[in-house]
Amino acid sequence: MDIRVLQYFLAVAREENITKAAQLLHITQPTLSRQLMGLEQELGVKLFSRSSHSITLTEEGMLFRRRAEEIVTLSEMTKRELKQEAMLTGEISIGSGEYHGSCYLSGILAAFRAEHPNVTYSIYSGNSDNIKERIERGTLDIGLLLEPVEISKYDFLHFPVPETWNALVRSDSPLAQKPYLTPQDIVPYPVVFSRRDQIRSEIANWFGDSADRLNIIAHGNLQYNMASVIRRENGVLFTLKLDLQHNGLKFVPLQPPIRAATVLVWKKNRVLSPLTNAFLDFAKKYISGMEKDKK
């Protein structure tokens, strides 16, 4: 299976039009059509549903698209890694969720690039489960995750940045006038949680005996989208306190507090590129230096 043919396939899947894809790829339409038919014959499945006006993916085509994207990404990463010479150059792929630690990470990225201006970054935004899955597949070099992490699978570097869970509520809610919220304050309101099982379990433990009385109306993984639900429902979103402003909403602390921490992780026993190793060494020194400055 040729990487070039996979790139052809992805172009057609993206454009849903062979003529337009052929123009973008700088090849003729008959050549592109032959390549696609050859790919379908090689795989033994039909990848596209064709009509006179468009071409769309079959179910098998959608599954193959995911795999093709991973293969092409890994191929490009491998080429970049093999081209790295004495002067550091290339791209580091990084995954991160919505944390205070993300701002700290951006400081490390900027400081590293100041020393190595030929380095670029590919940044993927998602929750911890998404990021771990991509690290496992090799499409991300490193990721910023919320603890706990599986120490049997990952090496990691602690970030000295506290993360605190808050309630996000509407500004006109009675809850917004309180200095902090207890489980008893929240139980009467609709609740939105994170989708991650570990986080949901931790928040349920915070509620204690009141957990069974919760009216959970939604789960999610991105604060902006979940905040939209709260704005409509006049409920409570359990989320990390971030340096963000949500129009018509307010962060309120929890009592007792729920605290967490973030870690920069990479796959244990995986051979990393020289560039990624150099970045991790730099990150360790950066954090150590920042901690010494605090003292």
Side-chain angles (χ1 to χ4, degrees), residues 208-214:
D209 295 338
S210 302
D212 293 337
R213 295 159 51 204
L214 289 176

Side-chain angles (χ1 to χ4, degrees), residues 112-276:
F112 187 70
R113 249 187 62 79
E115 293 190 9
H116 307 286
N118 291 322
V119 172
T120 60
Y121 305 111
S122 173
I123 299 175
Y124 169 82
S125 297
N127 64 18
S128 291
D129 293 334
N130 300 146
I131 292 167
K132 286 190 290 186
E133 180 181 352
R134 282 164 172 77
I135 291 175
E136 291 291 331
R137 291 178 179 177
T139 55
L140 286 178
D141 296 313
I142 54 180
L144 185 63
L145 305 180
L146 196 67
E147 285 194 305
V149 297
E150 300 168 79
I151 59 174
S152 62
K153 286 188 174 183
Y154 305 105
D155 289 318
F156 55 91
L157 183 60
H158 281 278
F159 270 27
V161 182
E163 308 284 348
T164 306
W165 288 92
N166 270 223
L168 188 63
V169 301
R170 274 180 24 179
S171 299
D172 60 357
S173 167
L175 298 179
Q177 313 310 314
K178 294 178 176 288
Y180 55 80
L181 299 182
T182 66
Q184 290 71 33
D185 293 324
I186 296 170
V187 165
Y189 290 83
V191 170
V192 176
F193 274 179
S194 166
R195 186 176 294 278
R196 289 191 67 205
D197 290 339
Q198 288 177 320
I199 293 172
R200 290 167 60 185
S201 176
E202 187 170 359
I203 293 174
N205 289 338
W206 182 79
F207 275 99
D209 295 338
S210 302
D212 293 337
R213 295 159 51 204
L214 289 176
N215 176 21
I216 301 173
I217 61 170
H219 301 108
N221 65 338
L222 293 178
Q223 188 179 106
Y224 182 86
N225 293 335
M226 292 190 289
S228 298
V229 176
I230 291 304
R231 190 176 285 109
R232 294 285 184 177
E233 294 280 351
N234 195 18
V236 178
L237 167 61
F238 279 85
T239 186
L240 293 174
K241 177 71 165 62
L242 301 175
D243 295 326
L244 298 174
Q245 295 293 326
H246 294 279
N247 187 35
L249 300 177
K250 179 183 177 182
F251 287 104
V252 183
L254 302 176
Q255 185 60 39
I258 306 177
R259 296 189 175 90
T262 49
V263 287
L264 193 66
V265 308
W266 56 99
K267 181 76 170 147
K268 185 171 284 189
N269 300 323
R270 176 185 167 191
V271 178
L272 300 175
S273 70
L275 175 57
T276 303

Side-chain angles (χ1 to χ4, degrees), residues 46-92:
K46 188 176 180 181
L47 298 173
F48 292 100
S49 294
R50 296 166 173 84
S51 70
S52 57
H53 301 293
S54 67
I55 179 168
T56 58
L57 291 173
T58 62
E59 288 187 9
E60 292 84 359
M62 287 187 282
L63 172 61
F64 185 69
R65 180 179 187 171
R66 285 207 310 273
R67 297 293 182 253
E69 287 172 341
E70 292 172 5
I71 293 168
V72 170
T73 298
L74 284 171
S75 173
E76 292 172 350
M77 289 175 63
T78 302
K79 289 177 184 177
R80 289 196 300 267
E81 290 170 358
L82 293 174
K83 287 180 181 178
Q84 290 165 14
E85 299 175 356
M87 184 174 72
L88 286 179
T89 183
E91 183 178 271
I92 304 173

